């Protein structure tokens, strides 16, 4: 079965062709980062307009790179939410129009479930049950994945998402948007123990997270000492990254243990962070929990993960599907 996935929930216009929910035949991501960088974050109206211009050319490229035609596609899968409503609508309308023209079914996918099932496109992937940690620009959530259509929320952030914390700290330091990947790069040269930043709800029994205190601590640090340069900037980045990776990895392992889950899947843009990957692996091994890390291209937003999740939804006959699907900007799993 060939699935065409479409993703337009935020600032990447993406389309991909995936065979049998497992094999990426193409995976096209057109990033709008250059458009939004000037504003220091995603501007919703600019995102919608850019998706409108790009969505069909990106779909064409995905078909071309996969070496297939529209008529070969068996199922269309599209992100219906959560995300920016104007941005989502562009992808949803495109998917419905293409499905109608091709006379094939269309299924709506939750963006977070897409991030989790991205692991099925990796060489090695676990079957449920497993623990899923989704860490992105908009979400920081722990799920017990009991079955293909059975995800139970165990904890989430009460304020900023982990990626948002990276991006806001980067902004305070005058670094370009999106800041996560820049901090990751600078941190490689720094000392993670240089400054001790707060761990939010880190040592508390709850499985929820809080990152707003970290952002405030960095703000005070910068107010007091100015924006650091060179070696000191690297130390600050490494210390911030350590605070975030420490809490995320500790809670993910604890959640897996408390819920008797022996496998852990990392997902979302922040799952590309090198320190988080290393720490989750290290702590997972120590706790006897098998850790699955998707390659970095599958962590950040893409449409292959939407095709993979759509394939599972369709196979199980799950709604929403058909031409009545619509954008749902606040869709909770
Ligand atoms: O999943 P994603 O592409 O989009 C959302 O669904 O939000 O995640 C984007 C987030 C941004 O906040 C970005 O700064 C962060 O992922 N990110 C990283 C890294 N690469 C992307 N954060 C830390 N280290 C990275 N290497
Ligand atoms: Zn995402």
């Amino acid at each position: 079965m060939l699935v065409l996935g479409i993703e337009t929930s935020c600032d990447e216009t993406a389309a991909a062709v995936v065979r049998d929910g497992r094999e990426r035949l193409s995976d096209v991501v057109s990033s709008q980062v250059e458009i939004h960088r000037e504003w220091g974050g995603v501007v919703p109206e600019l995102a919608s307009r850019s998706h409108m211009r790009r969505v069909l050319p990106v779909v064409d490229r995905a078909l071309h790179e996969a070496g297939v035609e529209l008529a070969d596609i068996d199922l269309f899968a599209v992100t219906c939410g959560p995300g920016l409503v104007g941005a989502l609508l562009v992808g949803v309308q495109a998917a419905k129009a293409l499905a109608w023209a091709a006379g094939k079914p269309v299924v709506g996918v939750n963006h977070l479930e897409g991030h989790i099932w991205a692991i099925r496109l990796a060489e090695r992937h676990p079957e449920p049950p497993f623990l899923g940690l989704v860490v992105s620009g908009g979400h920081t959530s722990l799920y017990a994945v009991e079955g293909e259509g059975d995800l139970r929320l165990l904890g989430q952030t009460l304020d900023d998402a982990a990626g948002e914390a990276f991006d806001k700290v980067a902004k305070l330091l005058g670094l370009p948007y999106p800041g996560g990947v820049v901090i990751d790069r600078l941190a490689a040269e720094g000392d993670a123990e240089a400054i001790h930043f707060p761990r939010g709800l880190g040592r508390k029994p709850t499985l929820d997270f809080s990152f707003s205190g970290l952002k405030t601590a960095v703000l005070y640090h910068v107010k007091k000492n100015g924006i650091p340069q060179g070696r000191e900037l690297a130390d600050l980045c490494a210390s911030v990254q350590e605070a975030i990776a420490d809490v995320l990895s500790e809670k993910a392992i604890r959640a897996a243990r408390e819920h008797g889950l022996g496998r852990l899947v990392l997902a979302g843009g922040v799952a590309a962070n090198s320190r988080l990957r290393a720490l989750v692996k290290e702590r997972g091994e120590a706790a006897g929990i098998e850790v699955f890390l998707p390659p970095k291209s599958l962590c950040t937003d893409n449409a292959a993960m939407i095709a993979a999740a759509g394939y599972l939804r369709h196979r199980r006959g799950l709604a929403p599907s058909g031409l009545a699907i619509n954008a749902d900007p606040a869709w909770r799993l």
Side-chain angles (χ1 to χ4, degrees):
M1 171 176 254
L2 288 184
V3 184
L4 178 86
I6 298 179
E7 154 65 41
T8 64
S9 68
C10 190
D11 61 344
E12 332 276 358
T13 315
V17 178
V18 170
R19 195 200 307 273
D20 298 331
R22 291 278 345 253
E23 188 193 346
R24 278 189 282 180
L25 301 187
S26 64
D27 185 1
V28 179
V29 180
S30 170
S31 172
Q32 305 177 2
V33 157
E34 296 307 325
I35 296 174
H36 302 290
R37 181 166 289 149
E38 187 182 338
W39 310 97
V42 178
V43 183
E45 178 66 8
L46 294 182
S48 309
R49 291 185 202 182
S50 175
H51 285 309
M52 283 181 69
R53 267 187 283 110
R54 296 178 190 205
V55 69
L56 292 178
V58 164
V59 166
D60 273 341
R61 222 172 93 206
L63 291 169
H64 180 77
E65 286 183 12
V68 302
E69 306 205 348
L70 191 64
D72 299 323
I73 300 298
D74 301 301
L75 172 70
F76 294 81
V78 62
T79 308
C80 284
L84 303 168
V85 68
L88 289 165
L89 277 168
V90 177
V92 170
Q93 296 307 332
K96 288 204 280 190
L98 289 166
W100 182 78
K104 298 288 168 53
V106 57
V107 60
V109 173
N110 183 294
H111 184 79
L112 299 181
E113 132 189 77
H115 273 303
I116 287 178
W117 295 120
I119 196 67
R120 286 179 55 90
L121 298 162
E123 266 178 38
R124 235 175 105 253
H125 78 271
E127 294 302 328
F130 59 79
L131 183 106
L133 170 61
V134 184
V135 269
S136 71
H139 301 270
T140 300
S141 309
L142 286 167
Y143 290 97
V145 182
E146 311 278 9
E148 279 177 12
D150 182 4
L151 281 69
R152 194 155 44 87
L153 184 66
L154 301 178
Q156 62 185 332
T157 182
L158 303 178
D159 40 58
D160 292 345
E164 199 178 353
F166 272 113
D167 296 344
K168 285 181 175 172
V169 165
K171 202 169 178 177
L172 281 174
L173 298 174
L175 301 171
Y177 171 85
V181 66
V182 184
I183 291 184
D184 193 348
R185 181 161 43 78
L186 290 170
E189 309 294 323
D191 173 8
E193 286 170 15
I195 309 160
H196 185 84
F197 284 116
R199 262 52 171 172
L201 301 169
R203 304 288 174 245
K204 296 268 162 58
T206 170
L207 292 176
D208 288 334
F209 302 90
S210 167
F211 291 106
S212 62
L214 169 64
K215 178 187 63 192
T216 310
V218 175
L219 177 67
Y220 284 140
H221 183 87
V222 168
K223 274 195 173 159
K224 191 165 155 219
N225 305 293
I227 293 181
Q229 304 293 328
R231 175 73 211 200
E232 284 177 3
L233 177 62
D235 285 349
L236 180 66
C237 289
S239 302
V240 167
Q241 177 174 270
E242 191 67 21
I244 296 173
D246 180 26
V247 174
L248 291 174
S249 54
E250 194 273 330
K251 286 219 172 176
I253 303 292
R254 177 143 54 88
R257 274 190 154 156
E258 282 176 10
H259 291 268
L261 300 164
R263 291 175 292 252
L264 191 161
V265 169
L266 209 55
V270 180
N273 183 265
S274 51
R275 181 60 181 148
L276 178 62
R277 293 170 81 88
L279 213 47
V280 169
K281 258 221 122 91
E282 184 187 309
R283 291 180 172 174
E285 263 165 35
I289 289 166
E290 199 180 356
V291 172
F292 294 81
L293 302 173
K296 292 184 183 180
S297 67
L298 286 172
C299 293
T300 45
D301 285 351
N302 64 86
M305 69 186 196
I306 301 304
Y311 172 83
L312 294 181
R313 260 188 188 264
H314 181 73
R315 196 166 76 174
R316 294 171 46 82
L318 288 182
S321 66
L323 295 181
I325 64 170
N326 202 355
D328 181 355
W331 183 4
R332 288 172 64 93
L333 265 182

